[in-house]
Amino acid sequence: MSDKDYAPLSAACVRALNDKFYEKRKTAALEIEKMVKEFAAVNNTGQIKRILKILGHDFALSQNPHARKGGLIGLAAIALALGKETDGYTEDLIKPILGCFSDQDLRVRYYACESMYNVVKVARSAVLPHFSPIFNALSKVATDSDQNTKSASELLDRLLKDIVTESTSFDLDAFVSLLRERIYTRSPFSRQFIISWISVLNSEPQLDLINYLPEILDGLFRILEDTNLEVKKMCETTLGEFLRNIKSEPSRVNFGAMINILINHAQEKSDELVQFTAITWIKEFVQLSGRPMLPYISGIFTAILPCLAYETDARRMTDIKETASAVNFTLMKLISLQNSDATNEDHAEVRPNDFEDGIPQEIDLQSVVDVLIQYLLHNSIQTKVAVLQWIHHLYTKLPSKMVNYIDLLFPALQKTLSDEADQVVQQCLIVIAEVISAPTSPSPGTKGKNIYYNKFIVSLLLLFSNDKRLLDERGSFIIRQLCLLLNAEDIYITLAMILLNETNLKFASLMVDHLNMILLTSSELFELRNRLKDLSNEKNRELFLRIYETWCHNPVATVALCLLTQSYSHVCDLIKLFGSIEVTVDFLMEIDKLVQLIESPIFAYLRLELLEVPCDKHLVRALYGLLMLLPQTEAFVILKTRLSCIPSLHLQFDDKVVVRKKSSDVDFQKLLAHFKEVQEKHKHYKKENRTKEILLFDREAPSDDT
């Protein structure tokens, strides 16, 4: 290329721009600056554009790195010469410089930053139409391996931020588009660059970056996961600034557009800071937004319910648990408020926050129930208790809606009764009691009882039948709690009616034994015991007869029941029949337990009756009958010692004296016949089972041919 091709640049200037020494290139730049000032003074735009084209094309795109450096310093000189007149030349100045930001030569990259700094310093807001490519170039050099280049880019970055924050026409839409593209970068340096820009713009009220938060929030939380502590701290601070802005102006915030992002990150168990920050935001969203959060309640459950399980001394984990608990509490209050308004819906006015985008804020109970059932299987006691409390809360506050989900919840609740934690079982029973006592779905012939009442009692007995360990370890606890939560008489009558027709007679006998012990010993059954002691009352007699019919499955339990009701003559008749009953080890153990009961405070009144004059001969004969059934064990000695305490004078009976102090219209002969009938069924049941066992053994035994 001949010298004239570079006109108006002199040959000396061209050589100097291509020189490897900076000082010579600097001299050429000063010459260019002087020349451009002269052209600008006479408004010779043609020559200025000619120089821009030479520097931007022939030099900035040259294969020679020194020429590229010369072109960059020359472009900066043009900008300095033009001063405020750069507006018409910014594109020609910026475009070639940007091309050098990714140059392989680190010194070229450094001079590109320096040159762009000078252009931006002079042009100021005139460079904003070209903000996107400049921002892109800066984001790349932010990760540059050369520290000098990085330092130069940081100076340019600060200058550009000053210009943006001063501007009243900055295109925030375009900037957020850039952020969306780059916010998912994994480079710590790029993340620092992104965060610094977000922080600066967020600090400027006129830019209103909070409206764009839904578009960048997920990216911010991903940056918060960074292992670089400096990046993590910067992001945490920026998120804190956003949250402060949200709390100060909640009316400007689109909570619904961000809540699912927070729910997702609140489940990030591998990073405690991310999880804590997300749950903290959820807490603020629920408190600030209120009802518009209700459609998202199932998702919020997935975020907070597992956090209630945290048991640790670590401060962060404790904070997470406490924050999750606060969210849980606030949501419960929201449900209560909704229920309150629903109760008065005929008089309620529609409030602005009851709608979001024209959609009423209602709970999707189907998804809520699905999530609650899922977390009933959680391994944490606290989480399961919270789930059960929620089910109970929803049933009490939204009964007409929750009734549609009983069939879904009921199997899960029944399964929870087998939980190892008393606290879980107790809370489960509270829920079940609420469900089966609600008069929402009466069944024909049940006098308004919920159809699930009998269904639950049947399923409970089936559970006990299939899991003897549960019956032994939890049976008493479960039944006592039910009697406390519901009507004890109803519970016992329902159990008795179902067990009366139980085909597994062995289980029926075992279950009656458990129910009898509960009846005779638990404080929850105190009133029921007192009623059974007074058979002169017709309702009490009906109660006694219903229980007696079923108690006949267990001879010793029947005797205990009649001792409680002071039906001593009938006890004697029953004990006489014991001679025809197969006396097994289990049978003797039950009599042993009965002796222990007679010595307990429950039967104090019975022991005192032994001091009556004349003494009730049926009571004495009944006790001696029990004594004769026992082998000479510890129980035998206890009962014998007790009987020896009766004053000999009292043993003189007078048949003319009516010893029954309370009149009773009970047909004990009919009851005795029923007892015999039931015991006969047990006799045949045992025989059939033994026959089946023998046949099964014969089939399984190896033949002689094998």
Side-chain angles (χ1 to χ4, degrees), residues 363-505:
I363 306 170
D364 179 3
L365 280 177
Q366 178 67 61
S367 62
V368 169
V369 168
D370 289 343
V371 170
L372 292 175
I373 290 174
Q374 174 190 342
Y375 281 99
L376 266 181
L377 302 175
H378 201 271
N379 56 8
S380 158
I381 293 174
Q382 291 86 349
T383 296
K384 286 183 282 195
V385 168
V387 169
L388 291 164
Q389 288 172 340
W390 261 108
I391 296 172
H392 182 262
H393 190 66
L394 291 170
Y395 264 107
T396 55
K397 301 302 179 184
L398 306 172
S400 61
K401 295 179 181 179
M402 284 298 292
V403 71
N404 299 319
Y405 301 96
I406 296 179
D407 287 332
L408 278 175
L409 283 163
F410 217 65
L413 292 171
Q414 290 169 318
K415 188 174 182 181
T416 306
L417 287 177
S418 301
D419 197 273
E420 295 182 357
D422 284 350
Q423 192 178 355
V424 173
V425 175
Q426 186 176 36
Q427 189 63 46
C428 183
L429 289 169
I430 292 172
V431 176
I432 289 173
E434 179 66 32
V435 172
I436 67 177
S437 64
T440 51
S441 302
S443 179
T446 58
K447 296 181 180 179
K449 270 190 182 178
N450 189 302
I451 59 173
Y452 286 91
Y453 192 98
N454 274 34
K455 182 183 285 190
F456 167 68
I457 300 298
V458 170
S459 67
L460 180 63
L461 289 173
L462 182 62
L463 194 62
F464 288 152
S465 177
N466 294 331
D467 190 348
K468 186 175 182 299
R469 176 175 168 271
L470 178 66
L471 175 60
D472 291 339
E473 296 180 3
R474 290 292 182 79
S476 176
F477 175 76
I478 291 172
I479 292 168
R480 287 169 57 198
Q481 289 296 311
L482 285 173
C483 289
L484 188 65
L485 294 165
L486 300 167
N487 183 285
E489 179 183 338
D490 286 345
I491 292 291
Y492 260 72
I493 288 177
T494 307
L495 285 166
M497 290 174 62
I498 296 169
L499 286 171
L500 183 61
N501 301 310
E502 174 62 53
T503 56
N504 184 345
L505 298 185

Side-chain angles (χ1 to χ4, degrees), residues 314-328:
R315 179 53 190 257
R316 182 73 74 188
M317 300 296 278
T318 302
D319 290 343
I320 291 172
K321 181 176 181 177
E322 290 177 353
T323 308
S325 297
V327 175
N328 194 55

Side-chain angles (χ1 to χ4, degrees), residues 190-338:
S190 293
R191 285 178 164 180
Q192 277 184 301
F193 174 77
I194 293 292
I195 286 292
S196 68
W197 268 96
I198 293 174
S199 179
V200 166
L201 296 186
N202 185 45
S203 64
E204 297 298 322
Q206 77 275 12
L207 292 176
D208 209 16
L209 189 59
I210 200 167
N211 284 333
Y212 297 88
L213 186 55
E215 300 180 55
I216 60 174
L217 186 62
D218 180 63
L220 285 170
F221 269 94
R222 294 193 184 279
I223 292 176
L224 191 61
E225 298 171 6
D226 202 293
T227 55
N228 184 297
L229 294 180
E230 187 176 352
V231 173
K232 206 174 186 72
K233 185 63 178 176
M234 283 180 65
C235 189
E236 182 184 9
T237 302
T238 300
L239 282 168
E241 292 168 356
F242 271 118
L243 190 57
R244 280 191 290 276
N245 291 343
I246 289 171
K247 290 166 70 175
S248 64
E249 297 183 84
S251 60
R252 296 169 50 227
V253 180
N254 187 348
F255 293 101
M258 293 184 280
I259 187 64
N260 285 326
I261 296 170
L262 300 175
I263 289 168
N264 180 50
H265 289 286
Q267 299 173 67
E268 183 56 62
K269 296 181 180 179
S270 61
D271 193 310
E272 294 174 9
L273 177 60
V274 172
Q275 189 176 29
F276 173 66
T277 305
I279 291 179
T280 300
W281 276 59
I282 291 174
K283 182 192 75 170
E284 297 297 341
F285 274 33
V286 171
Q287 291 177 348
L288 294 169
S289 179
R291 293 188 184 195
M293 288 295 100
L294 291 180
Y296 307 96
I297 194 169
S298 59
I300 296 173
F301 279 160
T302 64
I304 66 168
L305 288 175
C307 299
L308 300 176
Y310 292 161
E311 291 290 345
T312 176
D313 294 331
R315 179 53 190 257
R316 182 73 74 188
M317 300 296 278
T318 302
D319 290 343
I320 291 172
K321 181 176 181 177
E322 290 177 353
T323 308
S325 297
V327 175
N328 194 55
F329 177 75
T330 305
L331 287 174
M332 281 198 165
K333 285 178 64 178
L334 283 178
I335 297 295
S336 298
L337 289 172
Q338 171 155 319

